[in-house]
Amino acid sequence: MSNYVFNFEEGGIEQKLLLGGKGASLAEMSKIGLPVPEGFTITTKGCLNYYEVGKKISKEIEDEIFDHLRILEGKTGKKLGDVNDPLLVSVRSGAAISMPGMMDTVLNLGLNDESVKGLAKLTGNTCFALDCYRRFIQMFGDVVLGIHKYKFDEIMRETVGKNADKSTELSEEEYVKIIDAFKVKFKNEVGFDFPQEPEKQMMMSIEAVFDSWNNDRAKIYRKANEISDDLGTAVNVQAMVFGNMGDTSGTGVAFTRNPANGENKVFGEFLMNAQGEDVVAGIRTPKEIDELKQVMPKAYDEFIKATEILENHYRDVQDIEFTIEREKLYFLQTRTAKRTADAAINIAVDMVEEGFITTDEAIMRIQPEQINQLLHPEFIEAELENAKIMAKGLPASPGAATGKVYFNSEDVVKAKDAGISAILLRTETSPEDITGMIQAEGILTARGGMTSHAAVVARGMGKCCIAGCGEITVNEAEKYFIIDGEKYYEGHSISLNGNTGFVYDGKIKTKEHELTGNFGKLMTWVDARRKLKVRTNADNARDSAVANKFGAEGIGLCRTEHMFFEAERIISVRKMIVADNKEERVKALAELLPYQIEDFKGIYEEMKEKPVTIRLLDPPLHEFLPKEEEGIKVLAERLDVRIGDLKDKIALLSEFNPMLGHRGCRLAITYPEIYEMQVEAIMIAAIEVSKASDFDIEPEIMIPLVGHIGEMTIVKKLIENIAEEVIAKLDYKLVYHIGTMIEIPRAALIADEIAEHAEFFSFGTNDLTQMTLGFSRDDAGKFIEEYREQKVLPYDPFERIDFNGVGKLMKIAVEGGRSTNKDLKMGICGEHGGESESVKYCHGLGLNYVSCSPYRVPIAKIAAAQAVIEEEE
Amino acid sequence: MSNYVFNFEEGGIEQKLLLGGKGASLAEMSKIGLPVPEGFTITTKGCLNYYEVGKKISKEIEDEIFDHLRILEGKTGKKLGDVNDPLLVSVRSGAAISMPGMMDTVLNLGLNDESVKGLAKLTGNTCFALDCYRRFIQMFGDVVLGIHKYKFDEIMRETVGKNADKSTELSEEEYVKIIDAFKVKFKNEVGFDFPQEPEKQMMMSIEAVFDSWNNDRAKIYRKANEISDDLGTAVNVQAMVFGNMGDTSGTGVAFTRNPANGENKVFGEFLMNAQGEDVVAGIRTPKEIDELKQVMPKAYDEFIKATEILENHYRDVQDIEFTIEREKLYFLQTRTAKRTADAAINIAVDMVEEGFITTDEAIMRIQPEQINQLLHPEFIEAELENAKIMAKGLPASPGAATGKVYFNSEDVVKAKDAGISAILLRTETSPEDITGMIQAEGILTARGGMTSHAAVVARGMGKCCIAGCGEITVNEAEKYFIIDGEKYYEGHSISLNGNTGFVYDGKIKTKEHELTGNFGKLMTWVDARRKLKVRTNADNARDSAVANKFGAEGIGLCRTEHMFFEAERIISVRKMIVADNKEERVKALAELLPYQIEDFKGIYEEMKEKPVTIRLLDPPLHEFLPKEEEGIKVLAERLDVRIGDLKDKIALLSEFNPMLGHRGCRLAITYPEIYEMQVEAIMIAAIEVSKASDFDIEPEIMIPLVGHIGEMTIVKKLIENIAEEVIAKLDYKLVYHIGTMIEIPRAALIADEIAEHAEFFSFGTNDLTQMTLGFSRDDAGKFIEEYREQKVLPYDPFERIDFNGVGKLMKIAVEGGRSTNKDLKMGICGEHGGESESVKYCHGLGLNYVSCSPYRVPIAKIAAAQAVIEEEE
């Protein structure tokens, strides 16, 4: 028995990891009786061995390859390189996880100066044979020896002029001339003759495919798609069939259903008298698959029947490659079809209704992350055609936006008031920019990563955002930006594609994506299956309404600091911060109280009976103070203090590492009056809304940044004191709950103690990740890319939970918490709460809910349902 | 049986927690037959009950008190308040852990307008009785009702003029006048008459003692001494004996040996015709205990015999209070004597040599932290008398220093070169100040806490440092400082006491503390017992020599960054940092190589065979760049780059949270050439020193800030590559070891994985504390005091390991590490490595060594030996 090489008929689809997707699929098709050209697969194990022994095909594997080649020759009755009846083969890569177009393929292998004659004789078509030969030299040179394809194209044009464009219709002489020229070029480029020995051609090609596993394209693709570098690729050596043997031959690609919208109708295209590469190359325009019915009715019927067999066999939409050689149909590949989010939903729901798959299967067919594109505005496609790309940044928050550029919050608000759509453009945003971010159609920054302030806040708002667009230099003071040396001023129109990161010049019309009824059906099934509740992170009534639309089951995180930045209140906030004593602070806070009451009432009125967790003030106070000279001057005048004193105050509050500074409940230990005001506002709002409704609000008050048990007990006491005071004063008995964030490593380690005093935990995985990994989210951009590149990080831990580190701490906290408080409610409110793998992890941990930005609620729900189904399996 | 009240003879010394120290000691003395006035103890349980039921003595306890009062009256044959033979009692506090002078005492209780006559009759001394009564009114008013003592003193002076100074020698009329005036004052102050009912007096006094448990003095003392607030105090009610009954009476305090130097000779003082408070008050000068021999030979002999009995009984030096009433000796208290570090060592060693205690007991008698004062210079005491205190800061690093003030490193160095002793004064220090810190006698900063840069570095150097001296405003640019509005200029002489935080005006001579041979003996016993090795943190040959002197067994942490700041090399470092590409970086690093080789050779030559762990570069690169405009300008000229470009570079490198930024091994992932240079230097130095000696250096190379397994494997490979290259080039086979810091929470969580690739772990508990607690060491000063105050933190987690949080992570790491690598060597190199409780914790974790600043090596050794002894017990 062979260790490294298998005939197609020896395998099956379950051996994907060993045979690669293509090899397993060819094996499976052979098994179910579809016509597949004969061949064999050198396994991924062979590839790994190739790298282990130092990029060399070992003797053992070489022997097995030749054994199988002999078998193939036996089956086909042809012989590699034979002058009379030559066997031609393709050598194709095939990894376990599909990496379309990322690796290399050699076709027509086995041709040389002798065997080309055999092919001519056999097909009775010398031109065809010569064309095959010239294609082979070109492809072999390109794939195996790195002689760029265009160099051969040039020679072809030099040799036969503009006839080169009709490469299948040249004369014998022209082909011969081209072949000779190709061979000369080959030798010039690599220093040795084009190898005439077919077995040498084969071995060199197999090595080239193995090598292609680690070419840059493949590595980048794997990184982008989170595919392990350790899988290796298999190599399929398969007898050639020819779609280019004249007018009764052809080749094509088809899907068993429409991959763009899911319509249940075979969708595809084909080219007569062509090889696969011609379809891909796009030189000739392929025809729709329907037309094959007219051209070759028998092959068409056979093909349609086979698509049904394949879809039935795999119970999913297939993406099929086929070739017709002189009216005989061959299948070269079938695989599960990639599809748009729309198609994925429609196909899944249709298949359930056709009785083809179960609702569970339908749920499992959806990639949760894909749903993202359905929930945001998109450009009207026709408009995109003439759009000019100005720059590219990070696609920080999906959707499309178009408007005039403004450089600060006030100008955005003014534009908005004047009915102008605005894009906020800044070097980077800070909490001071919140008002502008709310009013803008989209946000563009020159600096900052996927988890910068702009990115995080924009995703929370479901607002299109491109971050870290380094090509842009922004001059906020003089209100212009520069790209490629060209200056653009305030009011210049641009458009942002938050899905791709492209910034376009001028306006491009956008539209809301239309959701079909199938989406609703799917979500019903999802809701019936999942155990995790899905809440949302929303800081105001507006976001709450959006979240409700997407089916949020409550608010898991309402950040009160954003409220502090709006309009008049920031003055009171600043007054409070620069106050010299408690009395002044209390006075300034009293000014804020009515605003906070209104904020909370708005949210309660929108969310009704659904639970709302409000987090007390979290950021360090200096975040609320102006940083620029001008802002400090204005503030000093407004507060009637000396500018020097104000600067001293700001300097005093500044911190070396604000992330680890005087913030969260630490503020409450030193300045209890801030939380006292907030709790008063929460309780008054809850009671007033309860009094006016037929339901009672049950406020969930969350203490941020707890790390020591004393913080929990002191702040809890503070909350209870104020809450009971308000209850007594307004004479309305209201149930309220007190819980804490788990966002400091120490909190996870003493969760058992904390849980004795908390009704709920909410994992703040953003901060927990920063502290557990020692990564500052604001700074890590500088090395995180290099870390991904060198595979220190398999993925961005700010996007997906670092299961091995942060996840362990979460587990300790869950076990600790439940050990002392079996009724403890637990959830997650970090950015990770909307990422599908993280949601599944939270399910596994036994959390009660996840909370994510409004636009990710459906994603989290699907992931939560999938987690249940996966668990049952 | 009683629950809350016990007669003295019912208890014993083992019941300290219940009876308090004084109560247990009185019980014990009764038991061993020493003369103790009769009485009873209301237990700490009674005190806790008092607070539990809302500051009230419950009925049950009250009943028990009166039961015991009746018993006491029975024993003494006297009756509280009796007009003929009144029982007088003292009511004294007594907590489980001694808090000298912190809580309150009432004497002579039971006197009123009637019983004072009884006392007069009984003693035949009306003046004495009246004096007792006036003392009682004053003390009761002060202790029980808060009428300040001085108010009574004033009245006494108003009433009897200058005779008030001789309070025991007044006439009957005078006493009566005073008593009347006191009673009037009493009523004026509190609104009711001085209570004549003795039982009411007693109950009010007991309540006052319970209340005194929570007075401010007591709370502050407990905080400073880390005594739990939950212990409560006992109250002792004891029949009065009178040292002021004339010339055959007296009172005194004595130690069984000298508590200042340990000399084996009773040491103490007494006053004839006086009560205990007179000894404390210091109005009359007490006499040395020897003189008692002349005055009352019988009582003296009895006393000396009793001191022997007590020292033998308790097997330790005792601190004894006694009273002689008409030639009859009574013991009122005995407790283990507090003593200086010198005395502690001498007494312990003497007692071993006397065959009195074992060497283990001697070791346990030493408070490791106390040793600190022996190892640093101190002021010559006589010089201190006229010294003027200018300001007070935090005692950041012990010792004494005197010199002229300079405001930057260069000026300090210049002064030093000119033979002038210098004190470096800065607002706060940064790594740029290292040279100056090395050359200065002491360091003074206006800002920063106990773990600020100045404090940490100074402790490392064993250099006197006062940090965070907020009264000082420093103008570094114009070279002056201001205290209380007064300006002092460069060159002004000051003196620093690093043990107390006092800054003195002018020069005060200092001397080295003399260590006796007993210290050496003790350390021999310590070394024989401990299992933990004790290494030191030293960055150069000079520190290494100091550490060797103190018995360090190797270097556990050699920080290479400090080397980068010296003289010429900082230019090369900066050149390297601002380089635009790898080539330029490599060139700049090549300039540093010879310096680094010399650095390491110096250390190896000093440490010889002892192990030396060198940590590769740790801080973020921007720490090496100038921050001020002027420095940037100079650097730009020196490097011949445009100032604007340099500023851009500096801005680009700046970080929001440098603690969590691009530092440690993260630098090695992006700029491998830095570590390559360092490893080359380490290996060359080790080989050159090995070649020149009869021993072989085994370098221990430590990777900082590892959090992901990929960091460990990539940097390890880098080290191995360079090390093998150097070994091959210099043709000298050298064994080297590669290990890592465990300082990121995630590293502790994946310690099992890391240990597969590491030969040793070193816990970097400074950073581990920062990240686990989410406390920035540089910023936490702002709230850490408030946290101590409100008892959120029982102690400073940057001084002592946070056992409950950081400790848990360390445990996870130790278990994980050993699970995959049983030969893993583990140690600690954070500041905590020299703190005694932390050292004991490390012993418990099973670490192999601790590493601390040179001056703390003996402390760590004693703690390590104590840990072994405690474990065996």
Side-chain angles (χ1 to χ4, degrees), chain A residues 271-519:
Chain A
L271 269 177
M272 294 307 289
N273 196 19
Q275 278 196 325
E277 49 170 344
D278 299 321
V279 182
V280 179
I283 298 168
R284 291 161 56 195
T285 307
K287 298 183 166 155
E288 281 189 26
I289 196 80
D290 284 352
E291 293 184 39
L292 186 63
K293 197 170 187 173
Q294 277 78 51
V295 185
M296 271 186 287
K298 190 168 151 283
Y300 177 78
D301 288 346
E302 205 181 325
F303 177 76
I304 292 296
K305 220 161 98 188
T307 61
E308 281 161 24
I309 292 171
L310 283 168
E311 195 179 274
N312 271 297
H313 185 71
Y314 286 107
R315 311 181 63 245
D316 201 354
V317 179
Q318 295 297 299
D319 168 357
I320 300 165
E321 288 175 27
F322 65 95
T323 286
I324 301 169
E325 184 184 278
R326 293 182 170 167
E327 299 205 344
K328 171 141 180 51
L329 176 68
Y330 289 99
F331 287 93
L332 301 177
Q333 166 121 342
T334 187
R335 57 186 166 201
T336 302
K338 289 195 187 296
R339 61 203 80 175
T340 63
D342 276 327
I345 291 169
N346 290 334
I347 290 168
V349 173
D350 284 352
M351 282 189 164
V352 169
E353 292 179 343
E354 291 160 21
F356 209 45
I357 60 173
T358 65
T359 52
D360 273 7
E361 281 174 300
I363 293 168
M364 294 305 295
R365 295 275 166 91
I366 309 298
Q367 290 178 25
E369 300 295 334
Q370 232 186 348
I371 299 300
N372 216 2
Q373 56 184 254
L374 302 185
L375 308 178
H376 293 90
E378 56 194 14
F379 289 129
I380 293 170
E381 241 170 88
E383 295 251 333
L384 262 180
E385 278 176 22
N386 298 313
K388 186 191 142 208
I389 294 170
M390 298 177 92
K392 187 167 188 300
L394 299 169
S397 179
T402 195
K404 290 177 186 299
V405 165
Y406 294 92
F407 296 89
N408 62 49
S409 267
E410 295 82 61
D411 291 341
V412 167
V413 173
K414 266 187 238 153
K416 183 83 183 184
D417 288 346
I420 299 164
S421 299
I423 303 282
L424 177 65
L425 169 53
R426 292 193 63 83
T427 302
E428 39 195 350
T429 63
S430 75
E432 295 186 63
D433 301 316
I434 289 287
T435 329
M437 295 175 80
I438 291 171
Q439 297 295 337
E441 302 301 310
I443 296 141
L444 173 60
T445 67
R447 276 171 56 173
M450 291 293 285
T451 49
S452 61
H453 177 267
V456 171
V457 174
R459 279 199 294 277
M461 296 176 176
K463 186 150 291 183
C464 170
C465 172
I466 297 175
C469 190
E471 299 163 59
I472 300 183
T473 310
V474 182
N475 188 324
E476 279 138 348
E478 299 178 25
K479 300 190 182 177
Y480 64 80
F481 66 99
I482 301 177
I483 297 179
D484 262 351
E486 188 150 349
K487 267 193 195 174
Y488 301 88
Y489 290 90
E490 182 184 86
H492 187 84
S493 291
I494 64 171
S495 301
L496 310 179
N497 186 339
N499 304 318
T500 60
F502 283 117
V503 180
Y504 296 94
D505 200 1
K507 291 204 174 181
I508 306 174
K509 284 209 188 91
T510 64
K511 62 172 169 67
E512 287 292 324
H513 189 94
E514 274 170 48
L515 285 176
T516 67
N518 282 340
F519 179 75

Side-chain angles (χ1 to χ4, degrees), chain A residues 6 98 205 381 385 411 447 505 612 668-669 707 851:
Chain A
F6 295 91
S98 170
S205 300
E381 241 170 88
E385 278 176 22
D411 291 341
R447 276 171 56 173
D505 200 1
V612 174
I669 304 292
S851 187

Side-chain angles (χ1 to χ4, degrees), chain B residues 534-559:
Chain B
V534 177
R535 297 197 190 182
T536 192
N537 300 346
D539 305 340
N540 49 51
R542 186 173 18 82
D543 292 352
S544 304
V546 174
N548 270 338
K549 195 181 87 186
F550 286 122
E553 295 169 293
I555 290 178
L557 175 63
C558 170
R559 285 163 292 219

Side-chain angles (χ1 to χ4, degrees), chain A residues 428 447 651-663 665-670 705 707-711 714 744-747 749-753 770-780 782-783 786-787 790-794 797 802-806 808-809 812, chain B residues 428 447 651-663 665-670 705 707-711 714 744-747 749-753 770-780 782-783 786-787 790-794 797 802-806 808-809 812:
Chain A
E428 39 195 350
R447 276 171 56 173
L652 196 72
L653 285 170
S654 78
E655 295 179 310
F656 291 101
N657 298 289
M659 201 303 78
L660 307 176
H662 194 185
R663 49 175 284 239
C665 68
R666 295 167 192 177
L667 292 171
I669 304 292
T670 43
L705 219 70
H708 287 80
I709 192 65
E711 295 170 329
I714 290 171
I744 286 185
R746 194 179 194 278
L749 295 166
I750 61 156
D752 50 348
E753 288 179 59
Q770 296 199 80
M771 292 183 230
T772 306
L773 273 59
F775 280 6
S776 161
R777 202 167 70 170
D778 296 314
D779 304 315
K782 281 179 194 155
F783 56 86
E786 190 74 35
Y787 266 51
Q790 297 202 36
K791 291 165 209 157
V792 175
L793 291 176
D802 160 40
F803 302 123
N804 208 14
V806 174
K808 271 187 203 162
L809 273 183
I812 291 172
Chain B
E428 40 197 348
R447 276 170 55 173
L652 197 71
L653 285 171
S654 77
E655 293 179 311
F656 291 101
N657 298 290
M659 206 291 88
L660 308 176
H662 193 184
R663 50 176 285 239
C665 69
R666 295 168 191 173
L667 292 170
I669 304 293
T670 43
L705 219 71
H708 287 81
I709 192 65
E711 294 169 329
I714 289 171
I744 285 185
R746 193 179 194 278
L749 295 166
I750 62 158
D752 51 346
E753 288 179 59
Q770 296 199 79
M771 291 183 232
T772 305
L773 273 60
F775 281 6
S776 162
R777 204 166 67 170
D778 297 313
D779 304 314
K782 282 179 196 155
F783 56 87
E786 189 74 34
Y787 265 51
Q790 298 203 33
K791 293 164 207 160
V792 176
L793 292 175
D802 160 40
F803 302 123
N804 207 13
V806 173
K808 272 188 201 161
L809 273 182
I812 291 172

